[in-house]
Amino acid sequence: MTIPANSATQDSPSISLLASDVHVLDSCVTGNVDVIEQGIALLDTLSDDDYQHVATPYVNSSIGEHFRHSLDLYYALMNEQKTGIIDYDFRRRGSLVEACRTTALREFEHIKQWLLALRSGDIYRHVEVKTEVSLHQQYSEQLTSSMARELIFVAAHAIHHYALIRVSALYCNAEVSADFGIAPATASYLRGQS
């Protein structure tokens, strides 16, 4: 449902805000669902051996490890309502999802359902974020953000990991879509070139 922006009156200024919220919510969730569906599509084409293969010297982690890391960031978002914080340092290194393609497929589907259930109030609220910021010492920063901003970050982060996954998948002679691992702004640029 779209509410025309010009339907707001001085007595009801929130209607205009609602109209813009609906549009942003749709694009934010749609963008994340696009990322999740790209992961699912690639997983459907990979063998279990491909999923666990490390294409050295080009990358240092398997496709499964890259997917696990991307999934971990989505789980950090999902767990925020239980824990009160988005903890990007949460990692499940060595877990089953790194080695089991079907586990990754189930987790991607679970995240997709969570995304599709999000409402405006879930996204347009402040959240606390914690993450380590130093390579040489254990320093963490905690700051206030919004769930919308963090959804955008997690999608962009996953896309960058998808670019690495792409290298490994092509090394394994897997079928990879042309837009897998391509950022939205790059896709827009490429469309403008054709």
Side-chain angles (χ1 to χ4, degrees), residues 79-149:
N79 290 333
E80 182 272 337
Q81 288 195 325
K82 292 180 203 162
T83 64
I85 193 164
I86 296 171
D87 183 357
Y88 287 130
D89 300 327
F90 166 75
R91 299 287 193 277
R92 298 175 297 154
R93 291 182 180 97
S95 65
L96 180 63
V97 71
E98 290 184 352
C100 181
R101 192 178 54 82
T102 55
T103 299
L105 281 165
R106 279 194 305 272
E107 289 191 12
F108 271 113
E109 287 292 345
H110 178 70
I111 291 165
K112 181 179 172 182
Q113 294 311 309
W114 173 77
L115 287 165
L116 293 171
L118 289 174
R119 297 294 172 250
S120 164
D122 300 322
I123 291 181
Y124 298 101
R125 61 185 178 84
H126 293 290
V127 294
E128 290 296 311
V129 178
K130 176 186 158 290
T131 189
E132 284 194 38
V133 294
S134 176
L135 183 61
H136 303 288
Q137 297 181 24
Q138 190 172 10
Y139 290 132
S140 292
E141 287 291 330
Q142 185 169 327
L143 51 102
T144 302
S145 185
S146 71
M147 184 59 83
R149 165 65 183 89

Side-chain angles (χ1 to χ4, degrees), residues 179 182-194:
D179 60 357
I182 303 293
T186 302
S188 292
Y189 170 78
L190 293 173
R191 282 190 303 272
Q193 298 301 302
S194 52

